[in-house]
Amino acid sequence: MRKVGFMLYPGYSAMSLVVSTVFEMANLQAGETLYGVHMLSVHGGSIRTSAGFQILSDRFSSEPLDLLVVGGSIEDPPPEALALLRQAPHFARRIAAPCTGALILAEAGLLDGRRATTHWMYARGMAERYPKVKVEEDRIFIADGPIWTSAGMSAGIDLALALVEDDLGIEVARQVARKMVLYHRRSGGQSQFSTLLELEPKSDRMQAVLIHAQRNLASRLSVEDLAEVAHLSPRQFSRAFQSETGQSPAKAIEHMRLEAARAMMEETNHPIDLVAQQTGFADRDRMRRAFIRSYGQPPQAVRRAARA
């Protein structure tokens, strides 16, 4: 059985506790206790979370951990917690920090010289405060040796699913994701940002257009096609779309295609020509130009970076 410890301290992020559900579901899926989840603190006892409720914790012992999970906090962790955390590599095989837990690892010096990520709102400040940390602010999660960090909120679930996949294989991770009514985990290299979220259309009509486009990226998706979905003339549609999203229809569709193509390049071994066709770029040269324009590197470099 793999022992998983959650390191608690006053103000501990209640959202970070959601990560424990992934290990619970893995046990249910296997029909046996593969993960033993324990709430731990420096002195043991009741710990107040960021949401105000209390969690009963056990006192840290010298017993080895397969995984130590360090979540964020609305308060600075006490010095004794940081001192214990600095010793964590000696008793924990892996250390994972969802969201702003990465800031606590950085404060303890555990991220010096390592790649790490955190919630996009705090990434820039983290890079400035901890210059020895190689902060990559637009990543869902990063595994650098035994240290795993993730972006904010739901990205902690992607991180936990990746840990389960690392332990038990991809099929178990998929089954756990299904039980949690989730799409299978996002890849670590995937962007924290979503084109659909960034566009934020104000009307149901434009939202329906974007959903249609996302489901039909391999199609032509001309302004005329999209205007027909919106039940507007092409001129009315272009004007309304620009007003609601701040982008032209062509630019928005290109961003959606880039997002889909990048995910395929990072998560599959599909040939570049096939990726270009399935995401509507038609040919690899057009997709290559779009990648360089947006990401500063060609699709092959994105795939190599994800593999690395």
Side-chain angles (χ1 to χ4, degrees), residues 20-215:
S20 67
T21 305
V22 175
F23 304 113
E24 177 189 1
M25 291 298 107
N27 289 342
L28 290 173
Q29 175 63 29
E32 60 179 304
T33 305
L34 299 176
Y35 294 99
V37 178
H38 304 265
M39 299 297 152
L40 306 172
S41 64
V42 175
H43 302 294
S46 185
I47 301 293
R48 176 180 46 80
T49 70
S50 61
F53 60 82
Q54 305 278 333
I55 298 179
L56 189 61
S57 67
D58 296 322
R59 185 172 184 170
F60 265 98
S61 69
S62 58
E63 186 176 348
L65 295 173
D66 185 72
L67 172 67
L68 177 64
V69 180
V70 182
S73 174
I74 59 173
E75 304 174 22
D76 291 333
E80 56 266 35
L82 288 173
L84 192 153
L85 188 55
R86 292 186 182 101
Q87 300 303 314
H90 299 298
F91 62 80
R93 183 172 74 88
R94 296 173 299 183
I95 300 172
C99 198
T100 54
L103 299 174
I104 296 172
L105 294 191
E107 182 66 24
L110 298 186
L111 295 181
D112 287 357
R114 294 187 182 276
R115 298 168 56 240
T117 192
T118 189
H119 192 295
W120 61 268
M121 289 178 60
Y122 303 99
R124 191 62 55 84
M126 179 177 169
E128 293 173 355
R129 183 173 179 180
Y130 305 104
K132 294 181 180 179
V133 182
K134 301 172 184 176
V135 179
E136 298 185 17
E137 59 185 84
D138 188 19
R139 289 291 178 268
I140 295 297
F141 66 84
I142 289 175
D144 188 329
I147 308 289
W148 299 58
T149 54
S150 81
M153 305 301 178
S154 62
I157 297 176
D158 295 292
L159 172 63
L161 285 169
L163 286 162
V164 169
E165 181 177 325
D166 189 54
D167 290 337
L168 307 174
I170 190 170
E171 189 53 39
V172 174
R174 283 176 177 159
Q175 292 297 327
V176 171
R178 288 194 191 102
K179 282 185 177 292
M180 296 180 69
V181 197
L182 296 169
Y183 179 73
H184 185 50
R185 73 162 178 84
R186 293 170 289 181
S187 69
Q190 191 170 334
S191 172
Q192 291 189 33
F193 305 100
S194 163
T195 298
L196 287 179
L197 288 176
E198 287 185 0
L199 290 171
E200 293 184 334
K202 298 178 179 61
S203 68
D204 291 343
R205 176 179 287 183
M206 293 305 159
Q207 183 69 47
V209 168
L210 290 173
I211 292 173
H212 170 82
Q214 188 180 49
R215 292 174 177 171

Side-chain angles (χ1 to χ4, degrees), residues 36 55 72 188 216 256 285 299 308:
I55 298 179
N216 296 276
M256 293 174 72
D285 289 337

Side-chain angles (χ1 to χ4, degrees), residues 257-266 275 279 281 287 291:
R257 284 177 167 147
L258 278 166
E259 187 175 77
R262 179 169 181 167
M264 289 184 69
M265 291 298 297
E266 291 178 339
V275 173
T279 55
F281 281 108
M287 187 174 81
F291 264 66

